[in-house]
């Protein structure tokens, strides 16, 4: 069975085809980063308009690359939330109109479920149950995953997401949007120990996070440096290294705590921040010490894409969670949507 999947919850337009037996057949992503860069962040109205421009050409590309035609598609999946309303509406409308015109079932997908199951698109597939660390621009959560559709929230951020902490700190350092990868690059030549940044909630008894104080600490440090004279390239590098280390330290520490508390041996990391090399190597080392394993999505599928949406739909079909005889073309998008609700 071939599932065509769409994603447009934020600033990437993604389209993919997953076959329930053969896996990912083709996928294509268009990132709007260059367009939003000038504004230092995502401009929702521009995002929606660009999704409209990109979605059909990407769909034709994906069909061509998979050597399929529209007639070969058996179901249509799309991100139903959470995300920006105008952006979500684009592929939700295209997907449902397409499914309606071809009398196909639709499979609405929770964006975070897409991220959560995306490590299964790697050659090394994690078995259930596992703990998942979801770290994107909008979310930071630790979940226990017992099976497809069985998710229990273990802890989450009380304010900013880890990606947001990267992005906001990077912005203060004058780096382009989205700041995470730029900050990580700048940190390469820096001394992570020169500045001591806070690690809020690191030792709290639960598995929650808090990152909003970090950008304030970065700002305070910068102001202090500015008062002392011109901020040098080395100062910026050292501050970037301290910021990255603080975020990775808290994420890593809490993830390992979740492993110990749950008694599980497999950790799955998903979402854009999962591309961070230091986070990866910290978790690899710590999980090896625990006699466990850590799984990541392929690097190209860490950030938003259609493959994870089509794949999540495929897993839901295989788990018997989708009624393929149903024809519902009026699914509403949800800008806010708790994953534990599905
Ligand atoms: O999952 P994602 O593509 O989008 C959301 O659904 O939010 O994640 C994007 C986030 C951004 O905050 C970006 O700065 C961050 O992931 N990111 C990174 C790295 N690559 C992307 N953060 C730290 N280090 C990286 N290498
Ligand atoms: Zn995402």
């Amino acid at each position: 069975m071939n599932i065509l999947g769409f994603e447009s919850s934020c600033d990437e337009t993604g389209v993919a085809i997953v076959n329930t037996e053969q896996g990912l057949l083709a996928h294509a992503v268009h990132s709007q980063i260059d367009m939003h860069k000038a504004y230092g962040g995502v401009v929702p109205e521009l995002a929606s308009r660009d999704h409209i421009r990109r979605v059909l050409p990407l769909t034709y590309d994906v069909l061509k690359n998979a050597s399929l035609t529209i007639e070969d598609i058996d179901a249509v999946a799309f991100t139903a939330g959470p995300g920006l309303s105008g952006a979500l509406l684009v592929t939700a409308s295209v997907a449902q109109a397409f499914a309606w015109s071809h009398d196909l079932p639709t499979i609405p997908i929770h964006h975070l479920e897409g991220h959560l199951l995306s490590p299964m698109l790697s050659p090394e597939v994690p078995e259930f149950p596992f703990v998942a660390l979801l770290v994107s621009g909008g979310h930071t959560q630790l979940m226990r995953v017992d099976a497809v559709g069985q998710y229990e929230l273990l802890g989450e951020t009380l304010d900013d997401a880890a990606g947001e902490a990267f992005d906001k700190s990077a912005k203060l350092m004058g780096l382009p949007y989205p700041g995470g990868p730029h900050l990580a690059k700048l940190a390469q030549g820096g001394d992570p120990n020169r500045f001591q940044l806070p690690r809020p909630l690191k030792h709290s008894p639960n598995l929650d996070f808090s990152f909003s104080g970090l950008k304030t600490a970065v700002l305070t440090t910068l102001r202090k440096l500015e008062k002392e004279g011109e901020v040098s390239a080395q100062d910026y590098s050292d501050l970037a290294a301290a910021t990255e280390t603080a975020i990775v330290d808290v994420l890593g520490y809490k993830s390992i705590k979740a492993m110990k508390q749950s008694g599980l041996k497999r950790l799955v990391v998903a979402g854009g921040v999962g591309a961070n090399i230091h986070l990866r190597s910290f978790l690899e080392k710590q999980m090896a010490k625990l006699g466990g394993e850590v799984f990541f999505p392929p690097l190209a599928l860490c950030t938003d894409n259609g493959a994870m949406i089509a794949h999540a739909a495929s897993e839901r079909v295989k788990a018997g969670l989708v009624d393929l005889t149903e024809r519902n073309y009026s699914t509403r998008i949800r800008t806010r949507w708790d994953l534990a609700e599905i």
Side-chain angles (χ1 to χ4, degrees):
M1 177 181 169
N2 293 320
I3 301 173
L4 177 63
F6 294 97
E7 152 68 32
S8 68
S9 64
C10 189
D11 57 349
E12 267 99 19
T13 324
V15 184
I17 300 171
V18 165
N19 178 280
T20 44
E21 271 76 52
Q22 296 157 33
L24 181 62
L25 300 184
H27 86 107
V29 183
H30 175 78
S31 167
Q32 302 176 351
I33 284 176
D34 286 341
M35 188 179 74
H36 296 297
K37 239 180 203 165
Y39 307 93
V42 177
V43 182
E45 180 61 25
L46 294 183
S48 322
R49 291 179 191 201
D50 200 59
H51 287 311
I52 293 173
R53 273 194 289 272
R54 306 289 172 181
V55 63
L56 292 182
L58 287 176
T59 308
Y60 296 133
D61 280 355
V62 162
L63 283 165
K64 196 172 153 217
N65 292 342
S67 306
L68 296 176
T69 70
I70 284 175
E71 310 307 322
D72 298 314
I73 300 300
D74 303 300
V76 187
F78 61 95
T79 305
L84 300 170
S85 57
L88 284 166
L89 273 171
V90 176
T91 52
S93 309
V94 168
Q96 295 188 93
F98 174 70
W100 172 76
S101 63
H102 289 80
D103 188 28
L104 297 175
T106 53
I107 312 175
I109 294 293
H110 191 295
H111 180 81
L112 292 184
E113 184 177 40
H115 276 304
L116 194 72
L117 302 178
S118 63
M120 296 170 83
L121 288 162
S122 287
E124 228 190 310
V125 179
E127 274 175 39
F128 298 113
F130 55 74
V131 170
L133 172 68
L134 278 179
V135 270
S136 68
H139 294 85
T140 299
Q141 298 186 328
L142 278 162
M143 312 273 311
R144 182 189 165 107
V145 179
D146 283 295
V148 174
Q150 284 181 37
Y151 313 124
E152 182 196 344
L153 183 67
L154 303 176
E156 65 183 333
T157 184
L158 305 180
D159 40 58
D160 287 355
E164 223 174 333
F166 267 111
D167 295 345
K168 287 180 177 173
S169 304
K171 200 173 179 179
L172 291 172
M173 293 177 212
L175 297 170
Y177 170 84
H182 295 283
L183 189 145
K185 204 167 165 215
L186 182 63
Q188 277 171 13
D191 170 9
N193 300 315
R194 179 171 155 209
F195 301 110
Q196 289 309 311
L197 296 178
R199 277 119 168 102
L201 296 192
K202 181 177 171 186
H203 296 288
S204 70
N206 54 28
L207 294 169
D208 288 337
F209 302 89
S210 167
F211 289 108
S212 68
L214 191 66
K215 62 175 185 293
T216 316
V218 169
L219 184 63
T220 314
T221 311
L222 269 175
R223 291 280 173 272
K224 205 166 152 240
L225 285 169
E226 281 161 5
K227 262 193 191 157
E228 288 163 7
E230 204 179 321
V231 186
S232 69
Q234 190 59 49
D235 292 335
Y236 279 118
S237 270
D238 292 345
L239 188 54
T243 307
E244 182 182 42
T245 306
I247 299 172
V248 168
D249 184 23
V250 179
L251 288 176
Y253 185 86
K254 286 268 159 122
S255 303
I256 298 304
K257 185 169 173 168
M259 298 313 300
K260 288 179 180 162
Q261 279 185 6
S262 66
L264 300 181
K265 291 286 176 208
R266 284 176 293 270
L267 173 66
V268 156
V269 183
V273 183
N276 187 275
I277 302 297
H278 287 278
L279 181 64
R280 288 183 170 233
S281 67
F282 177 90
L283 291 174
E284 266 159 9
K285 270 188 220 135
Q286 294 300 317
M287 285 305 293
K289 267 194 205 166
L290 278 183
E293 262 181 294
V294 58
F295 299 83
F296 299 93
L299 261 183
L301 300 181
C302 275
T303 47
D304 293 348
N305 62 82
M308 68 182 193
I309 301 303
H311 171 255
S314 166
E315 290 301 316
R316 292 201 140 249
V317 167
K318 288 196 274 184
L321 298 172
V322 179
D323 179 359
L324 294 168
T325 62
E326 202 190 329
R327 296 292 179 267
N328 174 11
Y329 306 120
S330 54
T331 300
R332 285 171 184 266
I333 52 116
R334 296 176 68 171
T335 53
R336 291 176 161 268
W337 187 7
D338 193 346
L339 181 57
E341 276 176 37
I342 65 169

